[in-house]
Amino acid sequence: MTVLLLAETHQGRLATDAVARTLSALAPLGDVHVLVAAGEGAEAAREAASLKGVSKVLLAESESLRHGLAEPAAALIASLASGYRHIAAPATAFARNILPRVAALLNVMVLSDVIAVHGAESFDRPVYAGNAVQTVQSTDPVVVFTVRTSAFAAVGRQEGAPVERVAAVADPGLSSWIEDMAVVSERPELASARVVVSGGRGVGSKESFDAIIQLADKMGAAVGASRAAVDLGYAPNDWQVGQTGKVVAPDLYVAVGISGAIQHLAGMKDSKVIVAINKDEDAPIFKVADYALVGDLFSIVPELTGKL
Amino acid sequence: MKILVPVKRVIDYNVKVRVRTDGSGVDLANVKMSMNPFDEIAVEEAVRLKEKGVASEIVVVSIGVQQAKDTLRSALAMGADRAILIDATSDVNQDIEPLAVARLLSRIVEAERPDLVIAGKQAIDNDMNATGQMLAGLLGWGQATFASKIEIADGRAVVTREVDGGLQTIGVRLPAVVTVDLRLNEPRYVSLPSIMKAKKKPLEERTAAALDVDVTPRLKIVRTVEPPQRVAGVRVASVDELIEKLKNQAGVL
């Protein structure tokens, strides 16, 4: 049995952490072939080949694959699908866009956000914002699924596996890229950071969100936000942690001015240690926090930043 | 331009989900049900496009049990013109899978010939995030997922998408499927007169069997359990105590 793993690349570079974590989820399923589909992907392919568990890298380079558009990528994967029992990818926005389309082209279901692999057909996945976990058994000939990377550790390195070029399929020309408004940051990535500092509605304004950022920078942490903070414009959309944002499980999660709606908890409750700072002592976030500090975040956060 | 919007009846956003102790699923008896919040955003966007004169007709479709008529009436009250219920099961506990939903919707699309399908990016019950992409794949249409802005011009939709690194803007040729994210709009509250008016709008019924789509699940749900619960920890009195605990007790600093 062989697995085809769709790798994510950004401007020709592999999203190594996401791929390495997905590889550890796939370990029980057999050989893994990684597909790098990009504008220029040679460097990403070499990087993927050096990750433990990869037996071959397929490299497809084409202008139509440069920006992650779903139609050409899904058509490519569907054209490669025969011979694979599983088709998987990390559950990122990139793959969530593509894999359900692949599943439809193959007339099979997709499983999103797999958190445990029990065997070739049996998987766990969260439903209802993580308030329930389902064990499901697939009856499809090909199992297409995305993996919640925060549930798995990254694999290590190996001697490079072979890289084989495959042809991209003709671009159906249904959609076209216009622009990316990506924020380039020196901070760790939210999905893989060891420490995350998040701010919520209680932070009060975009300006006062700077205190959260300063604390995060002092701790070498990624910055997160609740949906309320993003909706109110305090923080950009890609910082959102929760059911419909990113799911994180860092060693330390610091929630500042976040009340703790179930949709937010869905995105962070698997963190190893949770610290909550909130002036409302009845805030639901305190029910999941290991360390609770009740008080005014506007004095606590600068004090904490200063003393660390 | 004609817009089709699929809407799903789900457990209300504010309801605390209770998992049955025998592992058979989530307790849906006597629980408040509402329109999936993402679908509400999709309906709102379609209504705004109609108010701007871009769209001429909005058809809403729901798939599942008879009670989904309530969901369709809510969409009609928001401003949709017609509704179609596809009766696919009589069991409120049976979730119709995204693949079956997409197949049923593709039959409706073949009959209705909309220029645009606007769908919620995910349902808050099964959290699959799949139906829109699957429908686009089955139809061979372009797709623009996780939209936070939609503009229609010159036979295409220009869509700003919420992606992992920030935002991405793409153009997608019509007809197309667009799935919507949280920040696209804020759905309106419906007034009593519009609720009354919605009762008179057409609501047509079909069955999955008559549309010749097999809705048998491909995924067998073996069991449903509660995830491990966290317990509340300790209160600390000061920043100094917090730092001390994080260093010496938790070992994370």
Side-chain angles (χ1 to χ4, degrees):
Chain A
M1 286 201 313
T2 311
V3 185
L4 181 64
L5 164 57
L6 172 65
E8 178 165 355
T9 59
H10 295 284
Q11 293 168 335
R13 293 182 60 189
L14 188 74
T16 304
D17 184 72
V19 175
R21 287 169 185 258
T22 306
L23 280 165
S24 86
L26 303 180
L29 298 177
D31 271 2
V32 179
H33 294 175
V34 172
L35 171 64
V36 172
E40 284 98 28
E43 187 199 321
R46 273 196 303 278
E47 169 81 354
S50 77
L51 294 172
K52 202 169 163 65
V54 176
S55 65
K56 185 160 62 170
V57 176
L58 305 177
L59 171 60
E61 291 184 312
S62 147
E63 201 44 46
S64 66
L65 298 170
R66 185 177 297 279
H67 300 290
L69 295 174
E71 303 87 1
L76 169 66
I77 298 165
S79 78
L80 297 170
S82 66
Y84 292 105
R85 177 75 174 88
H86 300 90
I87 298 174
T92 58
F94 165 78
R96 286 172 193 281
N97 185 34
I98 297 168
L99 281 209
R101 186 176 179 107
V102 171
L105 296 178
L106 301 175
N107 189 26
V108 297
M109 255 301 281
V110 66
L111 287 92
S112 310
D113 280 308
V114 164
I115 55 170
V117 176
H118 300 301
E121 285 136 24
S122 177
F123 305 85
D124 284 356
R125 58 177 304 269
V127 291
Y128 292 95
N131 285 302
V133 175
Q134 276 180 349
T135 302
V136 295
Q137 193 164 5
S138 168
T139 61
D140 281 321
V142 186
V143 186
V144 178
F145 64 102
T146 61
V147 170
R148 177 170 286 188
T149 54
S150 63
F152 300 92
V155 295
R157 298 277 174 173
Q158 65 174 16
E159 286 288 312
V163 176
E164 185 182 304
R165 284 189 177 268
V166 293
V169 298
D171 181 6
L174 296 167
S175 61
S176 55
W177 174 80
I178 297 173
E179 69 173 324
D180 285 332
M181 286 152 282
V183 187
V184 182
S185 163
E186 293 303 306
R187 290 191 194 94
E189 268 196 56
L190 192 49
S192 57
R194 204 186 63 79
V195 181
V196 174
V197 178
S198 286
R201 183 190 298 272
V203 177
S205 70
K206 191 171 193 299
E207 292 66 39
S208 41
F209 213 89
D210 281 347
I212 305 295
I213 295 169
Q214 282 161 19
L215 175 59
D217 287 347
K218 188 72 177 278
M219 300 182 85
V223 190
S226 69
R227 180 191 167 185
V230 177
D231 283 356
L232 291 163
Y234 304 171
N237 65 279
D238 56 314
W239 289 4
Q240 185 177 322
V241 171
Q243 181 184 17
T244 64
K246 292 201 174 71
V247 176
V248 301
D251 290 345
L252 175 60
Y253 188 88
V254 183
V256 183
I258 293 177
S259 64
I262 51 171
Q263 291 79 13
H264 184 75
L265 301 184
M268 46 65 79
K269 68 182 165 56
D270 293 326
S271 305
K272 284 206 187 78
V273 175
I274 297 173
V275 170
I277 299 168
N278 203 301
K279 66 173 187 223
D280 173 12
E281 61 178 279
D282 296 323
I285 190 82
F286 288 133
K287 294 202 180 94
V288 300
D290 299 286
Y291 300 103
L293 185 47
V294 179
D296 179 16
L297 69 92
F298 297 103
S299 63
I300 291 171
V301 172
E303 186 188 346
L304 185 56
T305 308
K307 285 180 171 169
L308 282 169
Chain B
M1 187 174 87
K2 184 166 167 179
I3 302 178
L4 190 121
V5 184
V7 294
K8 185 177 186 182
R9 177 180 186 266
V10 298
I11 195 163
D12 187 82
Y13 187 77
N14 291 307
V15 170
K16 169 92 180 91
V17 170
R18 280 190 313 273
V19 180
R20 288 196 214 107
T21 49
D22 64 358
S24 65
V26 160
D27 203 351
L28 294 178
N30 303 316
V31 166
K32 186 183 178 200
M33 304 294 282
S34 299
M35 192 192 305
N36 180 41
F38 289 95
D39 303 349
E40 252 185 318
I41 294 170
V43 173
E44 175 67 32
E45 194 65 15
V47 173
R48 289 186 191 188
L49 286 169
K50 193 178 172 193
E51 287 167 349
K52 277 191 234 166
V54 177
S56 51
E57 189 185 20
I58 303 164
V59 181
V60 287
V61 185
S62 195
I63 294 164
V65 290
Q66 281 288 326
Q67 292 90 319
K69 278 182 186 166
D70 297 341
T71 314
L72 289 168
R73 291 286 174 207
S74 306
L76 293 171
M78 287 177 73
D81 299 295
R82 299 195 276 126
I84 301 169
L85 172 75
I86 303 176
D87 187 329
T89 177
S90 54
D91 177 2
V92 291
N93 291 305
Q94 194 197 341
D95 189 37
I96 308 297
E97 288 177 346
L99 179 65
V101 170
R103 299 204 88 83
L104 288 164
L105 289 173
S106 73
R107 296 292 159 86
I108 300 295
V109 165
E110 282 159 16
E112 293 283 342
R113 308 234 158 240
D115 303 283
L116 181 63
V117 174
I118 308 182
K121 80 162 181 180
Q122 84 188 59
I124 62 163
D125 49 6
N126 66 30
D127 281 336
M128 277 290 190
N129 190 337
T131 301
Q133 298 89 312
M134 289 188 131
L135 176 62
L138 293 175
L139 294 168
W141 288 10
Q143 69 184 55
T145 49
F146 326 143
S148 64
K149 190 175 172 198
I150 303 173
E151 274 168 12
I152 308 290
D154 307 325
R156 70 174 190 165
V158 174
V159 177
T160 301
R161 309 176 52 229
E162 295 204 358
V163 295
D164 285 338
L167 298 168
Q168 179 184 58
T169 304
I170 64 170
V172 56
R173 211 171 69 204
L174 299 180
V177 177
V178 175
T179 77
V180 305
D181 218 315
L182 292 170
R183 276 162 287 274
L184 179 64
N185 62 49
E186 210 167 299
R188 66 195 62 197
Y189 286 101
V190 292
S191 62
L192 190 61
S194 28
I195 293 170
M196 301 310 289
K197 222 168 101 189
K199 290 185 178 161
K200 296 196 185 100
K201 290 182 178 176
L203 193 161
E204 181 187 337
E205 282 187 57
R206 308 273 182 84
T207 66
L211 290 165
D212 197 22
V213 172
D214 181 5
V215 300
T216 310
R218 304 290 187 88
L219 303 176
K220 193 175 138 210
I221 299 168
V222 180
R223 67 179 163 272
T224 305
V225 297
E226 268 198 43
Q229 298 294 312
R230 281 189 95 98
V231 286
V234 297
R235 291 275 161 106
V236 292
S238 66
V239 167
D240 292 322
E241 190 189 346
L242 175 63
I243 294 172
E244 191 273 321
K245 287 271 199 301
L246 290 177
K247 269 189 184 147
N248 301 323
Q249 194 176 65
V252 289
L253 280 185

